[in-house]
Amino acid sequence: MKPTSPGSVDAREQLLTLAQEGHTVYMEDREPWRIGKLTDDYRQSAVLILFGALDEIPSRYHEHGEGPGRDLDVLLVQRSATLRSHPGQVAFPGGRLDPPDGDVGEVMTVPGGEVSAPHVRGALREAHEETGLDPQGVEVLGTLNPVPLPISNHMVTPVIGWWQSQSEVDVVDHAESSLVFRVPVLDLINPAHRYYATVTRGNETYKSPAFDVRVNETGETVTVWGFTGIVIDRILEWLDWSVEWDHNDERPAPM
């Protein structure tokens, strides 16, 4: 495990504050994105937003390189192109809750306060199944408010995690994921990597923050957009880790 730096210690404290005040992170306060509404039979889901000390592969972006968060990375997966739901999209590890995760309404206490126990269990279980990470090495700090994802009729709870004891990760099931990779926070805040991804439905055009990031293991560039792009954008803004980027740059989303 990589030794903890003073910067990552400070960053953990900021992430803990984020977890304690997760109800103040708004997802729908700027650009329109939601397409449709949830139906009464929506499903409960959870995703793991896992921050850890930057691995041995550094960021290529060094401007604005001081301060908390700059020596961290985030764990992401790229969904298999053969999936019916969100094929090929980059996402946080996670998925639907299963009965063994417990009954919605059950709570547990974590450093950020009381949170939904089934959503925490579900996020860790799914992350293990998708990436092989050891859940015992993840300190759950807290959760953000649930976010509606109408296109797949899910209510998604983001779970904030701190990777205190890192483990090897990789694709576990290629039918589910094509890539598992870690993105330096510095690469996410690089203004050259940021724009709005747009989707047009009839006469309406919807947009979300997007990030072009390079996967170090393969050398390819992938785009983070949609739900995942919105959540990352809001977290970076809330933590004051973001830097100014061109909000007039709009490009069609990779569909």
Side-chain angles (χ1 to χ4, degrees), residues 1 25 30 32-33 37 91 94 104 118 124 132 144 147 162 164 171 177-178 204-205 217 229 232 237 242 249:
M1 183 182 71
V25 182
R30 289 204 293 270
W33 176 250
K37 296 181 179 180
V104 175
L124 292 175
L144 304 183
V147 183
W162 178 252
Q164 61 183 3
V171 174
S177 305
S178 58
E204 296 291 336
T205 296
E217 290 79 1
I232 290 176
E237 288 280 343
S242 185
D249 185 358

Side-chain angles (χ1 to χ4, degrees), residues 70-90:
R70 274 43 172 186
D71 57 355
L72 301 185
D73 56 25
V74 181
L75 181 65
L76 296 173
V77 302
Q78 184 176 43
R79 294 169 57 82
S80 171
T82 60
L83 292 174
R84 289 190 303 171
S85 179
H86 311 295
Q89 289 190 18
V90 177

Side-chain angles (χ1 to χ4, degrees), residues 32-111:
W33 176 250
R34 303 288 174 249
I35 301 173
K37 296 181 179 180
L38 295 181
T39 63
D40 292 340
D41 60 346
Y42 69 84
R43 298 289 300 273
Q44 293 281 348
S45 296
V47 295
L48 179 64
I49 306 175
L50 184 58
F51 289 89
L54 189 66
D55 66 11
E56 67 276 6
I57 303 176
S59 167
R60 287 166 297 280
Y61 176 58
H62 300 289
E63 187 179 353
H64 306 289
E66 299 297 327
R70 274 43 172 186
D71 57 355
L72 301 185
D73 56 25
V74 181
L75 181 65
L76 296 173
V77 302
Q78 184 176 43
R79 294 169 57 82
S80 171
T82 60
L83 292 174
R84 289 190 303 171
S85 179
H86 311 295
Q89 289 190 18
V90 177
F92 302 114
R96 291 179 181 175
L97 302 193
D98 285 345
D101 298 325
D103 295 328
V104 175
E106 179 188 355
V107 298
M108 65 169 59
T109 301
V110 298

Side-chain angles (χ1 to χ4, degrees), residues 22-23 25-28 34 38 42-47 104 116 119 143-149 154-159 227 231:
H23 61 284
V25 182
Y26 300 104
M27 302 292 170
E28 301 180 49
R34 303 288 174 249
L38 295 181
Y42 69 84
R43 298 289 300 273
Q44 293 281 348
S45 296
V47 295
V104 175
S116 167
H119 288 91
T143 63
L144 304 183
N145 272 345
V147 183
L149 196 59
H154 281 75
M155 183 69 80
V156 186
T157 296
V159 176
F227 168 82
V231 174

